[in-house]
Amino acid sequence: MSGTVPTYEEIFSRNLGIFTPEQQERIRGLRIAIAGCGGLGAPVAHLLARLGVGRLHLADPEVFEASNINRQWAAYVDTLGMNKAAAVAAELQRINPDMSVSVFSDGLSDENLAAFLDGADACIDALEFFELELELQLHEAARRQRQWVFVAQGFLELNSGFAIDPLGVQFLDRIGSVGGYTAILRAVQACFPVLPEGVTVSDIEESITKGVTSLPSWCVQPVLDAAMVVSDVVSFLVKDSRPLATFPRVRIQDTSTFAVSYREAPDPHD
Amino acid sequence: MSEAPAYEELFARNLGIFTPEQQERIRSLKVAIAGCGGLGAPCAVLLARMGVGELRLADPEVFEPSNVNRQWGAYLDTIGVNKAAATAAEVARITPYTRAVVFDEGVTVQNVARFLDGVDAVIDGTEFFAFAVQALLHTAARQRGLWVYSAQGAMEIHTLFAFDPAGGGRHQRLVRAQRSCAHPARDRGLLPGAPRGGDTRCARRPAAGAFALDRIVVAIPVAGRRARHLGPHRPPRARSVACCGLPRCHGLRCGRASVRTHAASPAAGRVGDPR
């Protein structure tokens, strides 16, 4: 083990060629807010740290449980029982010594949404499906601050992702209402214009009615999704490229074949 | 936490993606991973999070600061630590149910049997230019009937491929594909820091394929030639070949004979053709 901590330039020297030195400096100056540190949020934070991003805001009120180990980065036997955002922050310090991480271990609420988004270059929405009300509050707060939100969701073998332009079509526009059963169903349909193989709308209706909140999931899927989100958000912020899909356009990846396709979220007013 | 949760508890959410029987099979899997850097370490972590029974991790290198930007076992506190050992420590933090066996000398002639015997699959995460190790690993895997999975990345392009141990014909096709592309040296523009002008993104895809295939060219003919020498149908000596004179060389060992010379010889024609 070496005695001295390596410099930022040493750690991230191999990024050069993928990014110019100026782009790497922009990456270093980025501040990204990640809502949710579970299946998707934790690997997103991990990859952003390995890219050299300077500041992260992490929010998650949950603690790591045994059943998280099969897929969530920073879920280890020795972090079980720890707050997810705090555990992720502790691992990130092992990657980039210059990184500053703000932890919101009480999760997000009306009171802290503004502080969570304050100064962020972009927000990554890695919340669970069933926190739709909170999700819409987050989107609204980001829209008011003219911030882009990058959303990603997994559903069995499918990954879905899109960026929400603060001046463009909002997630709420394709859901119609904030609360209730219909809103959740429309949110699922907006994220997944294509459903996983063998799943029908009535299956989803049944799951919502029964209150099923945990679906099967494994480690490969969030890693693929996180890699896409991170590549997308960083290219957008430092290379000024367009996001892969801007809502209502949705990127769908079938993780059993790795194929990616693009669809339009259905409009409930049609 | 002092006591680790049960296997079933840790991997409960896999069910639905895998059946309980499949999860039991995953639990019994043994996978050999050669190289614990950019590809090998994430593979080890993901296989541990899937719940496999045993990982054999080989890497002779230690983590350096410049590895931290992409290699999953590389942290500020594992700089200077052997890559296989650090990856094994990461696996141990994830689950006590995955046995991680460390080969910190890398894959060598001495340990390749111990590294591969009894495994279900091999992941080749060795460095791009470690051709000698790749030849050793692929040949030994092929002798044991094992599939070898590998992937390479060059700038924004990734290639992923699996080698079928019984796939001689496929390998030959791949070798031909490599020959039909320009030599990899032409594609130095793929490497970081080199000028990238002119070439379009699409045009680089076959070039990246050529990069990947370059290693197959090194690895597979070794196995192929051995098979031809050891197989029941030894190619008879072609009279016209100017060879090194070694017994049963037929120009194959010394490299003086081209494949065309052998195919053109009437005696060689009889080997695979009963007519």
Side-chain angles (χ1 to χ4, degrees):
Chain A
M1 212 166 288
S2 74
T4 52
V5 177
T7 62
Y8 184 91
E9 286 71 21
E10 265 182 282
I11 296 174
F12 300 105
S13 59
R14 288 287 294 273
N15 281 0
L16 300 179
I18 307 287
F19 300 103
T20 65
E22 296 70 38
Q23 286 169 340
Q24 187 63 44
E25 267 311 301
R26 283 176 75 180
I27 289 175
R28 190 176 186 171
L30 287 183
R31 186 193 293 224
I32 295 178
I34 305 175
C37 291
L40 180 76
V44 164
H46 178 199
L47 294 180
L48 288 173
R50 293 212 189 263
L51 263 167
V53 166
R55 289 204 65 162
L56 292 182
H57 294 182
L58 304 176
D60 203 310
E62 293 185 354
V63 296
F64 277 121
E65 289 172 22
S67 64
N68 298 147
I69 282 200
N70 82 323
R71 66 196 186 283
Q72 300 192 8
W73 185 78
Y76 295 105
V77 174
D78 54 90
T79 58
L80 296 182
M82 271 176 76
N83 172 264
K84 290 184 181 182
V88 169
E91 292 299 319
L92 297 180
Q93 299 300 328
R94 299 176 61 206
I95 294 171
N96 178 0
D98 293 353
M99 190 166 199
S100 117
V101 184
S102 306
V103 173
F104 294 74
S105 57
D106 296 328
L108 296 175
S109 62
D110 269 347
E111 291 85 65
N112 66 8
L113 268 177
F116 175 70
L117 292 172
D118 183 42
D121 296 287
C123 170
I124 289 164
D125 168 4
L127 294 169
E128 285 180 66
F129 247 138
F130 305 96
E131 297 181 82
L132 189 59
E133 273 177 50
L134 177 62
E135 194 167 13
L136 293 169
Q137 278 176 7
L138 173 70
H139 292 187
E140 177 55 21
R143 192 188 62 79
R144 267 190 259 113
Q145 303 197 20
R146 295 282 185 269
Q147 284 168 340
W148 283 70
V149 180
F150 287 74
V151 183
Q153 288 288 350
F155 186 6
L156 295 174
E157 79 275 14
L158 297 183
N159 279 334
S160 148
F162 48 86
I164 300 175
D165 182 344
L167 303 174
V169 177
Q170 297 298 298
F171 197 44
L172 180 62
D173 298 337
R174 292 293 159 105
I175 295 170
S177 60
V178 173
Y181 162 88
T182 319
I184 296 180
L185 182 62
R186 282 182 180 160
V188 176
Q189 289 175 312
C191 290
F192 296 94
V194 191
L195 291 174
E197 210 180 319
V199 174
T200 62
V201 174
S202 57
D203 292 335
I204 300 168
E205 286 170 340
E206 199 186 320
S207 304
I208 299 169
T209 321
K210 285 185 180 164
V212 177
T213 54
S214 72
L215 290 168
S217 54
W218 63 316
C219 59
V220 166
Q221 201 165 352
V223 169
L224 289 170
D225 212 7
M228 278 211 185
V229 173
V230 166
S231 164
D232 203 20
V233 74
V234 171
S235 300
F236 172 71
L237 292 174
V238 309
K239 292 186 172 177
D240 303 312
S241 49
R242 298 287 305 164
L244 288 168
T246 302
F247 198 72
R249 217 162 104 91
V250 176
R251 154 180 68 77
I252 304 273
Q253 183 183 34
D254 181 335
T255 56
S256 52
T257 61
F258 297 88
V260 177
S261 61
Y262 294 89
R263 298 295 171 96
E264 179 111 352
D267 191 337
H269 309 294
D270 283 351
Chain B
M1 239 191 211
S2 53
E3 209 169 308
Y7 183 89
E8 290 69 23
E9 223 181 316
L10 292 185
F11 304 104
R13 290 288 293 273
N14 280 359
L15 299 181
I17 305 286
F18 301 105
T19 64
E21 294 72 36
Q22 286 169 337
Q23 187 64 45
E24 269 309 302
R25 281 176 69 183
I26 290 174
R27 188 175 186 172
S28 72
L29 285 184
K30 295 177 182 177
V31 181
I33 302 178
C36 293
L39 175 71
C43 284
V45 167
L46 294 178
L47 288 168
R49 292 206 189 272
M50 281 175 71
V52 301
E54 184 175 314
L55 293 173
R56 297 187 189 165
L57 306 171
D59 204 312
E61 294 186 351
V62 297
F63 279 120
E64 288 174 23
S66 66
N67 298 146
V68 174
N69 82 323
R70 69 197 183 285
Q71 301 188 9
W72 282 20
Y75 293 99
L76 299 173
D77 51 276
T78 59
I79 289 169
V81 180
N82 172 265
K83 291 184 179 182
T87 305
E90 181 80 5
V91 167
R93 284 186 73 198
I94 293 169
T95 160
Y97 303 102
T98 301
R99 182 167 172 252
V101 187
V102 174
F103 293 74
D104 59 10
E105 67 277 29
V107 180
T108 64
V109 176
Q110 285 77 31
N111 73 10
V112 70
R114 203 157 48 86
F115 183 61
L116 292 181
D117 281 346
V119 302
D120 297 284
V122 183
I123 292 171
D124 174 7
T126 57
E127 270 184 276
F128 200 83
F129 298 107
F131 296 133
V133 172
Q134 287 161 14
L136 173 70
L137 179 74
H138 285 240
T139 307
R142 203 174 160 82
Q143 283 166 350
R144 288 163 177 77
L146 295 169
W147 284 73
V148 181
Y149 289 80
S150 192
Q152 285 294 343
M155 303 293 289
E156 75 278 19
I157 292 171
H158 275 273
T159 63
L160 173 75
F161 37 90
F163 298 105
D164 181 348
R170 186 159 153 259
H171 291 132
Q172 280 161 17
R173 278 204 299 282
L174 290 170
V175 172
R176 276 206 299 278
Q178 193 270 341
R179 284 184 184 150
S180 72
C181 293
H183 189 272
R186 187 190 74 82
D187 306 302
R188 286 209 186 97
L190 283 164
L191 297 175
R196 302 178 56 201
D199 222 349
T200 67
R201 183 180 273 228
C202 279
R204 281 204 205 92
R205 283 178 192 273
F211 253 86
L213 294 169
D214 190 53
R215 32 201 279 139
I216 302 166
V217 176
V218 175
I220 298 310
V222 176
R225 282 179 196 183
R226 273 186 71 97
R228 279 169 78 171
H229 275 286
L230 303 173
H233 300 293
R234 284 180 184 157
R237 187 183 294 271
R239 277 166 300 162
S240 61
V241 174
C243 186
C244 60
L246 286 169
R248 296 195 296 278
C249 173
H250 313 300
L252 290 169
R253 284 187 192 170
C254 67
R256 285 189 201 164
S258 69
V259 174
R260 214 172 110 246
T261 316
H262 277 272
S265 110
R270 240 178 274 135
V271 173
D273 183 1
R275 284 173 297 172

